[in-house]
């Protein structure tokens, strides 16, 4: 059930119960809501009629993780490369389907908005030497609301990088060569872009988990072949009658999953 105190949901997600002070309960519930929004945006879970429902991809991802993490408490240390590859093959097409304008956000964007933002971020990163800076995302890619404009956006970043003095970590400099932030969220800007990079990379499946010292986020080289398959075709924008229809569609497991022994 999708209602505080989320006790049944916590149990089914395997979150261990611990006693906390009453004044911190809302903070703990807020974390559940934050993760729900994150998983929903990735096409893994959605809430409908007061209940949390997994998509097909969400069910299969859970099966992979359950197999990988049996008896393991430190998840990140124990993911094997073979299962990471299975996750990449499963999740890549799901990320590509994510639409900026959907039944959940349609009022916020013009009718001709057809960009698939997670696919676009990965496409730009792949074409730009396998790395992307959050300022490049927040000043150029966030202005790109249509697929027809993506190549020009990528080229703008490429031309900026060709300058001998290019420094995306210099705020005044990138303001001049890349233009103003869009939208400009002040001190929250970087955190907002990091969320988008985290989604596009599915944490550290396709993108490294953190920026390097030069400020760039780099592609994971292990799964470039899978990523190239995902990027080979521009995703087709679709209209949906309801949010439920949309979340079911983006969370549909790819046909190739059968070859991975997951069906």
């Amino acid at each position: 059930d999708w209602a505080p105190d989320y006790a049944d949901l916590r149990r089914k997600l395997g979150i261990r119960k611990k006693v906390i002070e009453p004044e911190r309960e809302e903070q703990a519930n807020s974390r559940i809501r934050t993760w729900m929004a994150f998983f929903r945006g990735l096409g893994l879970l959605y809430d409908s009629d007061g209940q949390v429902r997994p998509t097909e991809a969400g069910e299969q991802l859970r099966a992979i993780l359950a197999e990988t993490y049996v008896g393991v408490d430190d998840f990140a240390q124990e993911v094997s490369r073979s299962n990471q590859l299975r996750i990449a093959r499963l999740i890549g097409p799901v990320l590509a389907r994510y639409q900026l304008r959907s039944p959940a956000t349609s009022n916020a964007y013009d009718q001709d908005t057809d960009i698939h933002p997670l696919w676009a971020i990965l496409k730009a990163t792949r074409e730009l030497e396998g790395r992307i800076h959050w300022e490049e995302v927040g000043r150029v890619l966030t202005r790109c609301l249509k697929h027809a404009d993506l190549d020009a956006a990528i080229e703008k970043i490429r031309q900026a990088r060709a300058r001998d003095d290019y420094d995306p970590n210099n705020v005044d400099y990138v303001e001049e060569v890349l233009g103003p932030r869009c939208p400009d969220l002040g001190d929250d800007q970087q955190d907002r872009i990091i969320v988008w990079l985290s989604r596009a990379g599915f944490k550290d499946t396709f993108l490294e988990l953190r920026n390097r010292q030069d400020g760039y986020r780099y592609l994971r080289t292990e799964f470039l072949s899978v990523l190239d398959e995902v990027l080979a075709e521009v995703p087709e924008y679709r209209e949906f009658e309801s949010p439920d229809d949309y979340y079911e569609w983006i969370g549909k497991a790819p046909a190739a999953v059968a070859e991975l022994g997951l069906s």
Side-chain angles (χ1 to χ4, degrees):
D1 291 336
W2 182 238
D5 59 355
Y6 308 112
D8 189 49
L9 181 61
R10 292 173 189 272
R11 179 178 60 80
K12 292 190 174 183
L13 287 175
I15 299 174
R16 288 173 291 186
K17 178 70 174 178
K18 64 178 181 179
V19 178
I20 60 175
E21 296 88 343
E23 61 270 19
R24 293 188 178 181
E25 287 184 358
E26 180 53 34
Q27 180 181 355
N29 288 340
S30 176
R31 182 170 296 180
I32 288 289
R33 290 191 289 269
T34 298
W35 279 108
M36 180 62 188
F38 187 73
F39 292 144
R40 182 175 56 221
L42 291 172
L44 303 178
L45 297 172
Y46 64 100
D47 55 287
S48 178
D49 298 327
Q51 289 189 315
V52 176
R53 304 179 187 278
T55 64
E56 184 180 357
E59 287 275 21
Q60 296 195 16
L61 178 61
R62 181 172 170 81
I64 295 174
L65 297 179
E67 178 182 325
T68 306
Y69 300 142
V70 171
V72 178
D73 193 39
D74 190 357
F75 289 178
Q77 297 293 325
E78 298 298 329
V79 178
S80 68
R81 187 187 181 282
S82 62
N83 274 343
Q84 281 189 306
L85 179 59
R86 295 165 73 194
I87 290 174
R89 287 175 174 167
L90 170 64
I91 291 300
V94 177
L95 298 179
R97 295 191 196 106
Y98 181 91
Q99 298 181 175
L100 188 62
R101 186 173 71 88
S102 72
T105 64
S106 57
N107 292 335
Y109 299 98
D110 293 337
Q111 283 294 111
D112 60 352
T113 299
D114 67 355
I115 197 73
H116 293 71
L118 305 184
W119 184 91
I121 289 172
L122 291 170
K123 176 75 170 178
T125 306
R126 184 69 170 112
E127 293 196 13
L128 292 166
E129 303 172 310
R131 60 192 176 117
I132 197 77
H133 194 281
W134 69 270
E135 286 278 29
E136 295 169 340
V137 176
R139 295 178 185 271
V140 181
L141 294 185
T142 51
R143 296 181 179 279
C144 188
L145 302 182
K146 295 185 286 186
H147 277 290
D149 299 331
L150 181 59
D151 287 343
I154 294 173
E155 184 60 24
K156 180 175 183 177
I157 298 171
R158 183 181 289 115
Q159 290 298 323
R161 289 187 185 180
R163 298 174 56 153
D164 292 337
D165 58 346
Y166 183 69
D167 181 8
N169 298 303
N170 184 320
V171 175
D172 294 333
Y173 180 90
V174 290
E175 184 84 13
E176 176 186 346
V177 298
L178 297 181
R181 293 171 174 174
C182 179
D184 189 347
L185 300 176
D187 293 339
D188 294 332
Q189 181 83 3
Q190 183 174 9
D191 289 343
R192 179 184 175 90
I193 300 303
I194 286 175
V195 169
W196 282 103
L197 292 173
S198 182
R199 290 178 177 176
F202 201 71
K203 280 300 183 182
D204 62 347
T205 299
F206 293 111
L207 286 170
E208 292 180 355
L209 191 58
R210 294 178 177 83
N211 300 340
R212 294 191 187 180
Q213 287 188 337
D214 59 7
Y216 286 92
R217 189 74 61 97
Y218 285 73
L219 289 174
R220 291 278 304 275
T221 58
E222 296 94 322
F223 308 125
L224 286 181
S225 61
V226 178
L227 180 60
D228 286 342
E229 292 176 7
V230 173
L231 299 177
E233 295 185 15
V234 178
E236 177 186 357
Y237 180 83
R238 298 194 183 193
E239 298 283 357
F240 297 88
E241 293 186 1
S242 71
D244 286 4
D245 291 340
Y246 168 66
Y247 290 125
E248 286 282 7
W249 177 72
I250 65 171
K252 184 175 178 58
V257 163
E259 301 175 6
L260 306 179
L262 302 178
S263 61

